[in-house]
Amino acid sequence: MEVLEIVKGLISEQLDIDEEQLEMKTTFEDIDADSLDVVELVMALEEEFNLEIADEEVEKIKTIGDIVSYIEKQIA
Amino acid sequence: MIAGKKAGIVSTGRALPVVRLTNFDLEHMVETSDEWITTRSGIKERRIISGDETNSGLSEIAARIALEKAGLKPEEIDILIVATVTADQLLPSSACLVQAKLNAHRAAAFDLAAGCTGFLYGLTVGQQFIETGAAKNILLIGVDTLSPIVDWTDRNTCVLFGDGAGAVVLQRVEEGRGILASKMYSDGTKAELLDIPAGGSKRPTTVRTLEERAHYIRMNGPEIFKFAVKIMVESTTNVLELCGKKPADLDFIVPHQANVRIINAACKRLGLSDSQVLVNIQRYGNMSSATIPVVLDEALEEGKIKQGDLLTLVSFGAGLTWGAAVLNW
Ligand SMILES: CC(C)(COP(=O)(O)OP(=O)(O)OC[C@H]1O[C@@H](n2cnc3c(N)ncnc32)[C@H](O)[C@@H]1OP(=O)(O)O)[C@@H](O)C(=O)NCCC(=O)NCCS
């Protein structure tokens, strides 16, 4: 499965939102995710892709596209 | 005579300070809001010691209630364990002060410091003495008075904590009941995630430590959050496996009350429904070692927990430490 699809799936499950609403340019604010939702999402991503995302990296992430490109770089 | 060899909790009691500090009160103290605190932690108010309320004083009140329910006199206590990180004084232990207040003169009294996991560590330690027969009656108190050691100018920490005490009596119980499994865990490499740097023997109190505000709790919130969710899921699953059970078999999970968001995230991963989770954090905040015995005492009083119910108690805290236990009530 493509990284984007997996990320969308994780976000929609965690925050109970329709995957249709999620696009590359969607921000955390757009989907009402607060800082603890982001922490939870980071945990889910770390488990799913078996990697560790440093705090500095998390701070740079603003959109779903940012997540996807970060992960694609890590697993490439 | 009880035939079984298992240890169990036979009675509970609690004591809470009189003064309530609400989120609205905190709005006048630091830059925060009821909305932020409620959505990020689930806490609405917490209790704070005042006047002559102390760690040992709250312990005494909670203990007397638990002893009375168990039909025990203080002099029948063999071991008195106080799980705390906020004893009245650095020396002697809070347990010795409580012993004197209760006149529990036959008891061996000691404190047990394991951060917010103190109560679960105490439960497992007490369990060993009961099961070997080395002790018959153990009084275990989970108590913390964190309000004097939180930095009331640091909004990252001060909104989360509160003061309180819970006590339980441990004895042998009937076969098939009591503590079915328990585990303690630690990871000292993560000590700096939650600590009080000064006031110990390495950095005793000096003008400099006071100026640096190094006598207050310091915490890395997001890292603790991740750790807490992970270990709650892992250790709950592990202790249940030890007795051949699954999360779905639980009547209740009794989690350490640090943040409702941690509880919700962990319970979702464990596949537990809201009705299986005991929560009172909205009224008390994080009372460290007191959270679990106080939630237990309230749930028993409300008639929620019934004989034969399957429970998992699970906690985490500074150290890092964590622990879990399965009980058949
Ligand atoms: C403490 C905790 C609630 C913080 O939540 P968080 O969303 O991770 O918060 P962060 O630290 O990332 O901060 C997010 C923002 O909220 C702010 N904030 C922190 N506390 C605040 C408060 N009381 N009111 C308003 N804003 C606050 C921060 O300053 C930060 O703002 P900034 O981005 O402008 O700097 C959360 O991490 C937590 O509960 N962790 C576990 C702590 C715990 O349980 N400890 C005891 C273990 S026994």
Side-chain angles (χ1 to χ4, degrees), chain A residues 35-36, chain B residues 31-32 36 40 116 155-156 159-160 194 219 221-222 224-225 256 258-259 262 286 316-317:
Chain A
S35 49
L36 290 176
Chain B
E31 200 182 324
T32 189
W36 196 95
R40 305 304 168 98
C116 299
R155 67 176 184 177
N156 287 293
V159 304
L160 299 174
L194 181 51
M219 181 180 80
I224 298 262
F225 188 97
H256 172 46
N259 187 327
I262 293 174
N286 180 350
F316 53 86

Side-chain angles (χ1 to χ4, degrees), chain A residues 13-15 34-37 39-40 42-44 46-47 53 55, chain B residues 36 39-41 220 222-223 225-226 229-230 259 261 265 268-269:
Chain A
E13 195 203 307
Q14 191 196 313
L15 293 165
D34 70 14
S35 49
L36 290 176
D37 290 319
V39 173
E40 265 195 73
V42 167
M43 288 182 71
E46 289 176 338
E47 282 160 24
I53 313 179
D55 286 349
Chain B
W36 196 95
T39 56
R40 305 304 168 98
S41 73
N220 178 334
E223 281 305 313
F225 188 97
K226 282 182 3 189
V229 173
K230 221 171 115 217
N259 187 327
R261 298 284 295 269
K268 188 171 170 188
R269 284 156 177 251

Side-chain angles (χ1 to χ4, degrees), chain B:
Chain B
M1 254 325 262
I2 304 265
K5 284 211 160 53
K6 290 274 188 221
I9 296 174
V10 298
S11 70
T12 60
R14 68 179 186 276
L16 296 150
V18 181
V19 172
R20 290 163 205 262
L21 190 72
T22 67
N23 293 349
F24 298 104
D25 297 328
L26 280 164
E27 288 180 355
H28 301 290
M29 298 164 67
V30 286
E31 200 182 324
T32 189
S33 64
D34 172 54
E35 196 269 341
W36 196 95
I37 302 171
T38 307
T39 56
R40 305 304 168 98
S41 73
I43 301 165
K44 296 298 278 182
E45 60 178 47
R46 68 288 290 141
R47 302 293 181 92
I48 301 294
I49 50 167
S50 64
D52 48 19
E53 288 171 334
T54 57
N55 179 300
S56 64
L58 292 176
S59 298
E60 181 195 0
I61 300 169
R64 286 199 188 278
I65 299 168
L67 287 172
E68 191 183 324
K69 286 190 207 157
L72 269 189
K73 295 195 207 62
E75 58 267 30
E76 291 174 283
I77 303 168
D78 300 307
I79 298 180
L80 195 173
I81 307 173
V82 176
T84 191
V85 291
T86 49
D88 290 3
Q89 306 170 201
L90 284 181
L91 203 67
S93 65
S94 203
C96 285
L97 302 179
V98 177
Q99 171 184 37
K101 288 187 162 155
L102 292 172
N103 192 21
H105 57 83
R106 278 191 50 247
F110 61 92
D111 283 3
L112 194 161
C116 299
T117 320
F119 180 81
L120 266 168
Y121 267 57
L123 189 71
T124 306
V125 169
Q127 174 194 5
Q128 312 309 313
F129 286 102
I130 301 273
E131 291 185 355
T132 58
K136 233 175 98 197
N137 303 315
I138 295 183
L139 176 64
L140 167 62
I141 300 167
V143 54
D144 266 305
T145 41
L146 291 161
S147 63
I149 57 157
V150 303
D151 185 347
W152 291 100
T153 65
D154 175 15
R155 67 176 184 177
N156 287 293
T157 51
C158 75
V159 304
L160 299 174
F161 298 102
D163 303 333
V168 303
V169 171
L170 305 178
Q171 287 176 340
R172 277 194 179 171
V173 292
E174 287 160 43
E175 205 61 55
R177 292 184 56 202
I179 304 168
L180 305 184
S182 71
K183 286 276 278 177
M184 305 182 285
Y185 311 79
S186 331
D187 178 4
T189 65
K190 304 270 168 54
E192 81 290 351
L193 292 183
L194 181 51
D195 68 358
I196 302 173
S201 61
K202 183 178 163 193
R203 292 193 70 195
T205 311
T206 59
V207 173
R208 174 128 184 245
T209 61
L210 291 172
E211 279 167 2
E212 285 174 9
R213 307 185 74 75
H215 296 271
Y216 293 118
I217 291 181
R218 295 182 180 183
M219 181 180 80
N220 178 334
E223 281 305 313
I224 298 262
F225 188 97
K226 282 182 3 189
F227 149 76
V229 173
K230 221 171 115 217
I231 67 85
M232 270 186 68
V233 175
E234 272 173 23
S235 53
T236 299
T237 313
N238 286 349
V239 286
L240 282 167
E241 257 167 25
L242 287 177
C243 31
K245 306 275 187 195
K246 308 179 296 301
D249 300 325
L250 283 175
D251 291 292
F252 294 106
I253 186 165
V254 190
H256 172 46
Q257 314 276 309
N259 187 327
V260 84
R261 298 284 295 269
I262 293 174
I263 297 175
N264 290 346
C267 290
K268 188 171 170 188
R269 284 156 177 251
L270 285 164
L272 297 171
S273 67
D274 288 352
S275 62
Q276 286 170 288
V277 189
L278 296 179
V279 175
N280 66 0
I281 191 171
Q282 64 280 4
R283 282 177 284 126
Y284 305 126
N286 180 350
M287 300 183 288
S288 185
S289 282
T291 57
I292 290 179
V294 171
V295 193
L296 269 180
D297 187 52
E298 291 192 340
L300 286 161
E301 198 168 274
E302 290 162 18
K304 278 191 191 154
I305 300 176
K306 299 192 183 63
Q307 186 169 335
D309 278 357
L310 189 71
L311 313 183
T312 291
L313 319 187
V314 58
S315 191
F316 53 86
L320 298 172
T321 57
W322 62 106
V326 182
L327 279 81
N328 191 338
W329 200 264

